[in-house]
Amino acid sequence: MTFKPIKNICCIGAGYVGGPTMAVIAQKCPDIKVNVVDVNAQRIASWNDENLDNLPIYEPGLKEVISETRGKNLFFSTEIEKAIEEAEMIFISVNTPTKTYGKGKGMAADLKYVELCARKIAEVAKSDKIIVEKSTLPVRTAQAIKSILDNVGTGVKYHILSNPEFLAEGTAINDLHNSDRVLIGGDHTTPEGQAAMDALTHIYERWLPSERILQTNLWSSELSKLTANAFLAQRVSSINSISALCEATGANVEEVAQAIGSDSRIGDKFLKASVGFGGSCFQKDILNLVYICRSLNLKEVADYWEQVIIMNDYQKYRFADNIISTLYNTVTDKKITFFGWAFKKDTNDTRESAAIYVADYLLEDRANIFVYDPKVKTEQIYMDIDNMNTRSEQENRNSLFVINDPYKASKDAHAIAILTEWDEFKTYDWQIIYDQMKKPAFIFDGRNIIDSKKLADIGFKVYQIGKTV
Ligand code: UDX
Ligand code: UDX
C-alpha cells in the first residue's frame, strides 16, 4: 500500500511546540493547508494579531515565518471540530504537565488533555485519519489513544504515529529548519501502518535529507524522547555537581568542562554549569521516566534517573543559600535584583525556571526582590511565584517587584543575581550600575556570562558558578 500525499493538516494545541512546528510545515509545504486550533481563544487571537510583536510566544525568526504563511496556508482558530473533520492528518500538541493530584501525583504525566483530544477526534471524525502524537508522552500512550479511537464504532480507521519534537526554545525555528533527526514511530508490520509513516516522512522530506528521518516502532519513538531529555539533563546535572566540587577546591568548572568536552567521546555541548536547568520538559520527562520505572518494579533504574532531579534542586538552593550566607547570613529587607526570569535566553517561557525557586527561597528569608527580564511579562512573574503556594498573593506583591529597566531595577540594590543568560546583560554599563548600588556591591552570576575580572576591577564582589573568582 502506498501513501496518499497529505493536503490538509490540523494541529490541536497552539503552544510553544504546535505553533512554531506548524508554521514551519506550512512554510515548507505551501500546497498543504495547516489549521492550528486551541481551546484558548485569547491565545488564538494573539496568533492572529496584526502586530507580529504580539504573538503569544517569543521565538527568534518566528515572526518572519508567520508573516510568510499566515492567511495563505496557515490558519489559527478555535474551530476544533471543523479542523478535525477537514484534516487527513491530526497532530496532538497539547500540554502534558506532571500530575498534581491522585495516582502518580508529582511524577506521572497528566494525560487528561491528550485523552480529551482523542475523544473529540473520535466524536467528530467521518473519514480515516492519521493521528500524530507530538506531545511528549509516557511509553505506550499511543496504545491508549488507539484503544479510545478504535472503540467508538464509527467505522473510521485511525493510524497512530509518534513524532516527538526535539526543538529547543529560543532556537526552535533553526532546530525545525535543520533538525539533526526526525523520529517517526509507527506500525511497520502492516501496510497501512507503513503507509501512514511514509506520509509523514514525505512531509519532512520536503526540506530535510531522507537519512535524517528515522522510522522506528511506536514505543521506541516514545521512549527515545524521554531518554533524549534525560541524557541532556543528566549532562547539566553532572557538570553542576562538579561545579560544587570546584568551588570547594579552587578548580574552575569552565576549564574542567573544556578539558572533558575536548574528548570527542564526551563532546562539548550541554556542559555549561548553571544555577540549574528549567523548562517545560527536562524535569517532567525525567519524573515520567522515574514513574514508569517504579511502576515496572525497576527501582534501581528509577533511583538512578531521579538523582538528576535531586542534583538540580540542590544546585538551585545552593545558589540561593550562597546569596544569603555571603550577605552576612541574612537578606531580610535587603534589595536583591534579579536579571532574568525566563528559564533560558531568547524565550519568554518561564516554566520550571530556576529563578522562581531562587526567588521563593530568598523571599522566605524576607528579601525584597526586584526582577528585570527583557521578555517576560509582569503578570507571568507574579503567576509563577503565586503558584509556589508558599505565601499569600498579597505578601508576594509586597516583596517582589517587576521593573522594566535594568538600571532602575538595580538602584540601591545590595546584590544582583543573574538568573538567565540574556546577551544584553553583557553589554550594560556596569560602572553606572555599581555606582548606584549599596556597598559592598555583590553580583551572583548564575550563568557565568559576565566578565568577572572587569567587574571585580570596578569594585564588585563577584560570585560565579564553579569558580573561585
Ligand atoms: C509541548 C508538548 O506538547 C509537551 O508534551 C512537551 O513536553 C512540552 O511542550 P507546549 O507547546 O510547550 O507543550 O505547551 P503549551 O504552550 O502549554 O501549549 C499547549 C496548548 O494546548 C495550549 O495553548 C492549550 O490551550 C492547548 N490545549 C490544551 C488545547 O487546545 N486543548 C486541550 O484540551 C488542552
Ligand atoms: C529541551 C531539549 O533540548 C529539546 O530537545 C526538547 O525537545 C525539549 O527540551 P528546552 O527545554 O527548550 O529543550 O531547552 P534546553 O536548551 O534543552 O535547555 C534546558 C535547560 O537546561 C535550560 O534551563 C538551560 O539553561 C539549561 N542548560 C542547558 C544548562 O544549564 N546548561 C547547559 O549546558 C545546557
Side-chain angles (χ1 to χ4, degrees):
M1 185 174 170
T2 52
F3 67 87
K4 219 174 72 215
I6 300 292
K7 291 284 167 215
N8 191 306
I9 287 178
C10 152
C11 173
I12 310 178
Y16 283 89
V17 172
T21 308
M22 291 304 125
V24 167
I25 291 184
Q27 180 192 36
K28 299 293 184 182
C29 311
D31 54 316
I32 299 182
K33 183 176 178 196
V34 182
N35 286 307
V36 187
V37 291
D38 200 296
V39 288
N40 182 336
Q42 197 190 342
R43 206 163 208 189
I44 290 296
S46 309
W47 279 110
N48 283 324
D49 202 302
E50 289 284 300
N51 180 353
L52 291 171
D53 287 326
N54 293 337
L55 292 179
I57 66 176
Y58 171 71
E59 191 62 57
L62 178 63
K63 271 202 295 199
E64 290 72 11
V65 183
I66 295 288
S67 78
E68 209 181 310
T69 50
R70 198 178 58 187
K72 290 198 185 104
N73 64 327
L74 177 69
F75 302 92
F76 293 93
S77 91
T78 50
E79 292 185 85
I80 302 180
E81 301 187 358
K82 180 161 169 271
I84 293 175
E85 239 185 284
E86 274 182 20
E88 293 139 319
M89 182 177 269
I90 301 170
F91 287 77
I92 299 183
S93 194
V94 296
N95 40 333
T96 52
T98 305
K99 266 187 100 172
T100 51
Y101 55 91
K103 188 175 172 201
K105 176 179 172 183
M107 296 225 111
D110 192 339
L111 298 180
K112 72 173 176 230
Y113 301 128
V114 173
E115 188 175 332
L116 276 174
C117 285
R119 292 192 186 278
K120 176 60 81 189
I121 295 168
E123 195 186 303
V124 298
K126 297 195 182 72
S127 55
D128 296 356
K129 312 278 180 208
I130 298 173
I131 311 292
V132 186
E133 303 177 339
K134 200 73 188 148
S135 305
T136 310
L137 299 166
V139 189
R140 303 213 160 201
T141 305
Q143 195 73 355
I145 299 179
K146 191 164 170 36
S147 122
I148 293 172
L149 292 171
D150 284 349
N151 283 298
V152 285
T154 51
V156 172
K157 281 215 182 86
Y158 297 98
H159 299 291
I160 320 281
L161 302 177
S162 157
N163 174 220
E165 88 357 73
F166 292 103
L167 59 84
E169 288 170 30
T171 53
I173 300 299
N174 184 51
D175 293 348
L176 286 161
H177 281 160
N178 305 300
S179 315
D180 286 347
R181 52 49 178 110
V182 169
L183 200 52
I184 298 176
D187 182 5
H188 279 294
T189 61
T190 64
E192 296 85 5
Q194 185 61 52
M197 288 166 89
D198 291 343
L200 182 55
T201 302
H202 185 61
I203 291 176
Y204 287 110
E205 272 173 350
R206 309 277 195 104
W207 74 94
L208 292 170
S210 311
E211 61 275 13
R212 291 204 210 153
I213 304 169
L214 313 178
Q215 295 191 350
T216 65
N217 81 31
L218 263 180
W219 304 313
S220 300
S221 169
E222 290 177 333
L223 183 56
S224 299
K225 175 62 197 281
L226 296 185
T227 308
N229 277 342
F231 269 59
L232 290 170
Q234 182 197 44
R235 285 175 69 95
V236 179
S237 274
S238 296
I239 200 71
N240 281 344
S241 74
I242 298 302
S243 76
L245 188 54
C246 287
E247 287 165 35
T249 57
N252 177 324
V253 77
E254 281 167 16
E255 290 175 358
V256 174
Q258 198 189 0
I260 64 168
S262 314
D263 183 332
S264 63
R265 293 169 302 175
I266 297 175
D268 59 1
K269 305 219 169 68
F270 268 71
L271 286 180
K272 186 121 189 64
S274 67
V275 55
F277 62 72
S280 72
C281 285
F282 280 7
Q283 171 157 317
K284 172 181 73 117
D285 291 353
I286 294 174
L287 287 173
N288 219 331
L289 197 60
V290 170
Y291 181 73
I292 295 169
C293 293
R294 293 241 156 89
S295 319
L296 297 170
N297 279 327
L298 301 170
K299 181 183 175 299
E300 286 76 5
V301 185
D303 291 349
Y304 178 75
W305 287 107
E306 190 168 30
Q307 196 58 38
V308 174
I309 306 271
I310 294 172
M311 186 51 61
N312 196 49
D313 289 339
Y314 167 71
Q315 189 74 351
K316 291 182 274 192
Y317 293 117
R318 203 168 72 79
F319 182 78
D321 224 36
N322 184 36
I323 296 180
I324 298 178
S325 55
T326 307
L327 294 185
Y328 316 107
N329 283 322
T330 176
V331 289
T332 305
D333 294 332
K334 289 182 181 162
K335 174 168 175 176
I336 316 285
T337 300
F338 274 30
F339 281 173
W341 188 264
F343 82 98
K344 64 191 267 196
K345 73 170 180 179
D346 291 341
T347 180
N348 60 346
D349 194 352
T350 62
R351 287 176 288 181
E352 292 300 330
S353 179
I356 305 169
Y357 294 87
V358 174
D360 197 55
Y361 193 81
L362 296 177
L363 288 172
E364 277 305 272
D365 208 64
R366 307 214 176 136
N368 291 319
I369 298 183
F370 287 66
V371 182
Y372 166 74
D373 186 287
K375 289 287 174 199
V376 180
K377 295 214 165 85
T378 304
E379 313 85 81
Q380 184 63 50
I381 295 175
Y382 281 122
M383 206 190 299
D384 291 335
I385 200 72
D386 289 343
N387 282 343
M388 295 294 286
N389 289 322
T390 311
R391 62 196 74 73
S392 72
E393 294 187 4
Q394 193 51 52
E395 284 171 302
N396 282 332
R397 276 147 197 78
N398 292 344
S399 43
L400 188 144
F401 308 90
V402 183
I403 311 286
N404 63 8
D405 176 299
Y407 294 92
K408 284 190 191 133
S410 53
K411 189 167 182 340
D412 292 324
H414 292 80
I416 292 174
I418 298 179
L419 277 306
T420 312
E421 73 280 24
W422 286 105
D423 289 333
E424 66 171 62
F425 299 161
K426 296 182 213 165
T427 62
Y428 288 169
D429 187 331
W430 285 97
Q431 183 69 54
I432 294 183
I433 293 177
Y434 177 79
D435 290 342
Q436 58 167 9
M437 282 176 68
K438 292 241 181 334
K439 308 293 171 332
F442 293 95
I443 182 152
F444 297 89
D445 180 3
R447 298 288 183 166
N448 290 3
I449 56 161
I450 51 157
D451 181 340
S452 54
K453 171 145 191 347
K454 195 173 120 197
L455 266 69
D457 287 346
I458 290 175
F460 279 102
K461 302 252 176 256
V462 183
Y463 291 81
Q464 291 190 298
I465 305 277
K467 294 190 198 178
T468 35
V469 181

